[in-house]
């Protein structure tokens, strides 16, 4: 079986103002970089409102739908914009993760990558923020727990920004372990190591500006991986942001492309030990187009190696 790649052209229809870092070209570069890989290509469905209700109140879903402009842009928070295509894109992004969980837990794919936008890990229960409208990764966790009946699902978020939305949505979910590394200080400001969840189910790993691959690897080896192994996940969901790359313009960590390959391979090893390799990865940030495409390809190639 092959690694599944879930995406949809609607995710290119979410347009942001000229100069905005979370731009259509990000996904175009990624899809081009993955073009020749031997992947099982799956069309991402629209999420159902019943899926979204697992993580957001009806009022938030209604607000997002009502915020769709008929032309131009609508600003829904300091740096989050919607265009006429944004609602469909957000429903495809969430639907991709739900479908990927179904494929991996149904034994139809060993692992999966969702090439989607808008990203999701900053969206809180009732708040769109940080380029994110719906909490895609947290939705995948809840779907695996509530729909598929799993007992333990882990999220690992290596985006350079704190996954405040995922943390918010899973804060009081004892069946979920949230592990998130982030540059600190950096927007959105949360993600201190004393933020540990209502059931000690959140592990924050703040990294100082300038942290390179060696120190990142040490932090994951000493903090993240032992915690993940002790949790014995039945599924691992990765919030795959590539903005900790040394070339990224939005932050100041110094990971190289091979560091993203390393962390992916290590997570695949842990998934092999505990959950038959089951991983669903979903795109978050990454704003240098070349570095983003390279690092995403390296990430997906490791998933493919693990799928063999
Ligand atoms: Zn980010």
């Amino acid at each position: 079986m092959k690694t599944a790649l879930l995406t949809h052209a609607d995710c290119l229809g979410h347009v942001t103002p000229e100069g905005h870092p979370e731009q259509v070209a990000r996904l175009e570069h990624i899809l081009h970089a993955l073009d020749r890989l031997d992947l099982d290509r799956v069309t991402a469905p629209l999420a159902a409102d019943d899926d979204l209700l697992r993580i957001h109140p009806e009022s938030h879903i209604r607000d997002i739908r009502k915020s769709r402009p008929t032309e131009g842009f609508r600003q829904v928070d300091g740096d989050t914009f919607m265009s006429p295509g944004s609602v469909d894109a957000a429903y495809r992004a969430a639907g991709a993760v739900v479908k990927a969980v179904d494929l991996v837990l149904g034994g139809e794919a060993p692992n999966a990558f969702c090439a989607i936008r808008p990203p999701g890990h900053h969206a809180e229960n009732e708040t769109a923020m940080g380029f994110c409208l719906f909490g895609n990764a947290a939705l995948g966790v809840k779907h695996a727990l509530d729909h598929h009946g799993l007992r333990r699902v882990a999220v690992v978020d290596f985006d350079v920004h704190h996954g405040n939305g995922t943390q918010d949505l899973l804060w009081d979910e004892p069946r979920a372990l949230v592990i998130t590394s982030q540059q600190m200080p950096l927007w959105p400001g949360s993600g201190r190591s004393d933020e540990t969840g209502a059931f000690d189910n959140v592990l924050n790993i703040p990294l100082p500006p300038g942290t390179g691959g060696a120190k990142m690897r040490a932090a994951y080896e000493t903090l993240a991986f032992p915690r993940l192994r002790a949790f014995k996940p039945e599924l691992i969901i990765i919030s795959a942001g590539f903005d900790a790359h040394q070339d990224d313009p939005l932050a100041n960590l110094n990971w190289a492309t091979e560091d993203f390959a390393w962390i992916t391979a290590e997570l695949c090893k842990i998934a092999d030990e505990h959950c038959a390799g089951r991983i669903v990865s979903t795109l978050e940030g990454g704003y240098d187009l070349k570095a983003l495409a390279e690092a995403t390809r390296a990430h997906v190639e490791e998933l493919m190696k693990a799928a063999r």
Side-chain angles (χ1 to χ4, degrees):
M1 283 194 299
K2 297 174 190 175
T3 295
L5 172 66
L6 293 96
T7 189
H8 196 283
D10 283 353
C11 293
L12 300 167
H14 166 55
V15 183
T16 51
E18 183 75 32
H20 194 285
E22 206 295 280
Q23 56 183 307
V24 174
R26 295 179 62 238
L27 185 53
E28 291 173 339
H29 276 67
I30 286 173
L31 294 176
H32 182 68
L34 302 181
D35 198 30
R36 299 215 175 147
L37 299 185
D38 188 20
L39 296 159
D40 183 9
R41 288 158 203 277
V42 178
T43 302
L46 296 165
D49 282 342
D50 282 349
D51 293 324
L52 295 169
L53 285 167
R54 294 188 199 281
I55 52 166
H56 297 298
E58 203 173 355
S59 56
H60 176 74
I61 301 168
R62 200 171 50 237
D63 284 352
I64 293 295
R65 295 180 73 95
K66 274 178 24 193
S67 299
R68 178 204 320 239
T70 51
E71 58 181 37
F73 303 106
R74 178 160 296 148
Q75 189 169 6
V76 294
D77 119 302
D79 50 19
T80 310
F81 293 82
M82 291 179 66
S83 70
S86 297
V87 170
D88 283 350
Y91 273 76
R92 294 287 177 193
V97 178
V98 169
K99 177 74 176 175
V101 168
D102 288 342
L103 291 174
V104 169
L105 294 183
E108 294 171 74
N111 54 34
F113 179 68
C114 301
I116 49 90
R117 51 186 291 282
H121 74 150
H122 295 306
E124 298 188 345
N125 184 251
E126 294 185 75
T127 311
M129 62 184 276
F131 319 158
C132 302
L133 302 178
F134 298 136
N136 307 324
L139 172 56
V141 173
K142 286 287 198 183
H143 181 69
L145 294 170
D146 293 344
H147 180 76
H148 288 279
L150 297 195
R151 291 162 299 171
R152 292 179 309 281
V153 179
V155 190
V156 178
D157 183 332
F158 57 71
D159 189 279
V160 79
H161 301 97
H162 180 226
N164 61 293
T166 306
Q167 171 172 300
D168 176 61
L169 295 168
L170 299 174
W171 182 263
D172 56 1
E173 173 50 82
R175 299 170 295 172
L177 172 65
V178 178
I179 296 177
T180 163
S181 63
Q182 50 272 345
Q183 178 184 322
M184 182 161 283
L186 187 66
W187 187 94
S190 51
R192 297 187 317 269
S193 50
D194 62 357
E195 297 167 30
T196 55
F199 299 98
D200 198 23
N201 58 318
V202 174
L203 172 63
N204 272 293
I205 305 176
L207 301 169
T211 298
K215 284 194 172 149
M216 175 278 282
R217 292 181 192 209
Y220 269 83
E221 280 174 336
T222 55
L223 299 170
F225 298 153
R227 190 68 185 275
L228 190 54
R229 286 191 162 96
F231 181 69
K232 298 185 170 59
E234 296 172 304
L235 170 71
I236 297 174
I237 293 189
I238 301 177
S239 264
F242 298 96
D243 40 9
H245 195 285
Q246 57 202 1
D247 294 342
D248 197 274
L250 261 56
N252 309 98
L253 296 192
N254 288 321
W255 302 9
T257 296
E258 57 261 33
D259 293 315
F260 293 96
W262 176 84
I263 196 167
T264 309
E266 293 297 312
L267 291 172
C268 287
K269 267 190 227 166
I270 295 172
D272 270 344
E273 290 166 25
H274 292 287
C275 49
R278 298 193 298 208
I279 289 181
V280 169
S281 175
T282 183
L283 180 66
E284 302 287 358
Y287 303 99
D288 179 86
L289 295 174
K290 184 165 173 286
L292 170 65
E294 273 179 20
T296 304
R297 183 177 162 128
H299 173 66
V300 172
E301 284 178 336
E302 291 301 326
L303 293 176
M304 293 172 69
K305 280 185 210 166
R308 281 193 210 117

